[in-house]
Amino acid sequence: MNRIKIAIFFSLIVLIGLISISVFLANSGNKTNNIQENVKKPKIEETKVKINTSQMLNEAKNIHILTSEEADKNFELQSKMPYITKDFELGYSDLTGQYYVYKKTSKADAELSKFLENNEFTDLNNLLKEVNKSVQNTILEEENKIINEDRQNVSNTKINKQQKDVETLSKLIKIFSSFNSKISIGSDPEESSSVSGTIEQSGQQEINSDNITLDSIFNEAGTKIGTPPKILRGVMTRECSPLVSLPNEKIIEYSQPGNGIPLGHGCFKNSKGASGPMQFLPDVWLSYASAVNKFGGYTHTPYIANMRDSVYAAAWKLKRNSRTTDLNWTYEQVRRAVICYNAGCGRLNNPPSSTLRYLEAVWNMYKS
């Protein structure tokens, strides 16, 4: 029996070695294909290669988040945009999450400070971008950098081959470690670090996972905020389609406080800088991240890649944009919410064709 165990032990070692070699050869042999992929999606590929996992996780974890009170003041300020005087112009893009200021005279700084102070929102942090022309034209240009007619749905993105191989190796190592501990060969196995979107946060509560499903998250956030759960499902289907077909154990894992979709997933961060299950730009996320605490009653620090946190934030944004207090939305309310979410409220009268397809898909799911 001991000989059999030893044979299995060495077989696992050989198997892990062979897979490691195949990963190396595949990555070397497919250099031409990788170059072609880089031409098509340079930003995505460069991000995966040049940014290490700890840096990406730290960036995602450390996005500045407004408290619910700060967010409400921010929303009040947004409602007054654009604000135009003889000294300055101030505008806001709900798509990029940034304010834009055009200073016309030497009095602009003092007048801007006075305006913000009167609105009890004096610190815009990194949300304020100074420009040298009309803010309305600038906002359209900035938003056009994000929107394009040929943008493919994020549902077409796949976990890259290298990430899959790393995850396969990780699973094999875990199997080997478990086997190793059972047959007492060598020392105690060390804990292996998983290549995932997990963030260590002290003091985070464990959420009871007995009844967690994707639909239960949609229902919970939708009911508490007032956004139809089917609309939330429709938006996730357009923003990150692979997530809606995940096995339930993954939904549970990605919805625990501090956890989220793994780094290798195409929805962790796209070429436009949007992150997470509901694809938030960081400057937009900071205004809506507190939804999970404000409406859900949770106490953990929201994380942009987390399933529950992201759904709550999307529910709040969609609800605000719909301008309704009812849970049963009309087509016009769905239309407004979806266009604002996908293309910005400035395009309500002239949305891109890609946004109209997005709207049609969400509406059909809502009415199903």
Side-chain angles (χ1 to χ4, degrees), residues 303-332:
Y303 173 42
I304 197 169
N306 181 273
M307 190 77 74
R308 176 180 277 102
D309 299 348
S310 187
V311 169
Y312 262 92
W316 194 9
K317 180 168 174 55
L318 289 162
K319 179 67 174 180
R320 288 193 68 254
N321 290 338
S322 73
R323 294 187 176 178
T324 178
T325 57
D326 197 343
L327 190 59
N328 297 313
W329 291 10
T330 65
Y331 176 77
E332 285 304 315

Side-chain angles (χ1 to χ4, degrees), residues 81-147:
M81 299 296 106
Y83 187 81
I84 301 175
T85 72
K86 63 182 178 62
D87 297 306
F88 70 91
E89 294 181 11
L90 185 65
Y92 178 79
S93 167
D94 54 333
L95 186 62
T96 67
Q98 285 193 326
Y99 289 89
Y100 300 85
V101 61
Y102 171 37
K103 299 176 181 178
K104 301 177 182 178
T105 71
S106 58
K107 297 180 180 179
D109 287 324
E111 293 299 317
L112 176 61
S113 296
K114 185 186 300 183
F115 171 74
L116 295 176
E117 185 176 352
N118 290 339
N119 285 274
E120 300 181 347
F121 200 81
T122 56
D123 187 6
L124 293 180
N125 296 306
N126 297 322
L127 294 181
L128 186 61
K129 183 176 182 179
E130 186 173 347
V131 298
N132 56 9
K133 59 184 176 182
S134 165
V135 293
Q136 291 174 298
N137 291 336
T138 300
I139 288 172
L140 287 175
E141 291 176 2
E142 291 288 307
E143 291 180 344
N144 282 334
K145 293 177 183 178
I146 298 175
I147 300 170

Side-chain angles (χ1 to χ4, degrees), residues 146-365:
I146 298 175
I147 300 170
N148 63 75
E149 296 295 325
D150 298 325
R151 183 175 67 179
Q152 292 185 348
N153 192 300
V154 180
S155 64
N156 293 327
T157 59
K158 299 177 180 179
I159 299 175
N160 63 36
K161 185 178 185 303
Q162 185 178 8
Q163 181 63 35
K164 285 184 176 179
D165 291 333
V166 171
E167 290 179 348
T168 299
L169 282 172
S170 178
K171 290 177 181 178
L172 284 172
I173 290 171
K174 286 181 179 179
I175 292 173
F176 164 70
S177 297
S178 175
F179 174 79
N180 189 24
S181 63
K182 289 179 180 178
I183 62 175
S184 301
I185 297 179
S187 60
D188 293 336
E190 297 180 355
E191 294 183 0
S192 62
S193 58
S194 175
V195 182
S196 70
T198 301
I199 301 291
E200 292 183 4
Q201 296 182 358
S202 60
Q204 300 287 38
Q205 76 274 32
E206 180 88 6
I207 293 177
N208 189 330
S209 61
D210 292 343
N211 299 316
I212 294 178
T213 65
L214 187 56
D215 281 327
S216 75
I217 294 175
F218 291 144
N219 290 333
E220 176 188 324
T223 301
K224 291 185 176 181
I225 294 177
T227 303
K230 283 188 176 181
I231 290 181
L232 294 172
R233 173 175 275 275
V235 169
M236 181 179 285
T237 300
R238 295 295 299 187
E239 296 293 345
C240 191
S241 177
L243 294 182
V244 300
S245 58
L246 281 178
N248 207 54
E249 58 267 23
K250 289 298 181 183
I251 301 296
I252 294 171
E253 177 184 348
Y254 299 160
S255 62
Q256 290 297 317
N259 285 12
I261 58 177
L263 287 170
H265 200 288
C267 297
F268 185 86
K269 187 174 184 179
N270 70 12
S271 62
K272 306 296 183 182
S275 298
M278 301 302 252
Q279 292 291 279
F280 277 93
L281 287 170
D283 289 336
V284 179
W285 168 255
L286 68 83
S287 292
Y288 293 95
S290 62
V292 70
N293 304 136
K294 177 183 177 72
F295 300 99
Y298 296 96
T299 59
H300 62 272
T301 301
Y303 173 42
I304 197 169
N306 181 273
M307 190 77 74
R308 176 180 277 102
D309 299 348
S310 187
V311 169
Y312 262 92
W316 194 9
K317 180 168 174 55
L318 289 162
K319 179 67 174 180
R320 288 193 68 254
N321 290 338
S322 73
R323 294 187 176 178
T324 178
T325 57
D326 197 343
L327 190 59
N328 297 313
W329 291 10
T330 65
Y331 176 77
E332 285 304 315
Q333 291 163 342
V334 174
R335 181 182 185 278
R336 181 178 178 84
V338 170
I339 291 177
C340 287
Y341 194 97
N342 181 247
C345 293
R347 288 173 175 73
L348 284 171
N349 296 326
N350 188 30
S353 59
S354 57
T355 301
L356 292 177
R357 293 191 294 271
Y358 189 123
L359 170 61
E360 181 182 10
V362 174
W363 176 252
N364 288 337
M365 180 163 291

Side-chain angles (χ1 to χ4, degrees), residues 51-84:
I51 298 181
N52 60 46
T53 56
S54 61
Q55 180 180 342
M56 288 188 71
L57 287 172
N58 286 334
E59 287 177 353
K61 176 183 177 181
N62 293 322
I63 297 174
H64 176 67
I65 295 174
L66 299 180
T67 65
S68 58
E69 293 78 11
E70 291 172 334
D72 288 337
K73 290 180 180 179
N74 187 25
F75 296 146
E76 290 179 15
L77 187 61
Q78 291 171 22
S79 68
K80 299 179 180 180
M81 299 296 106
Y83 187 81
I84 301 175

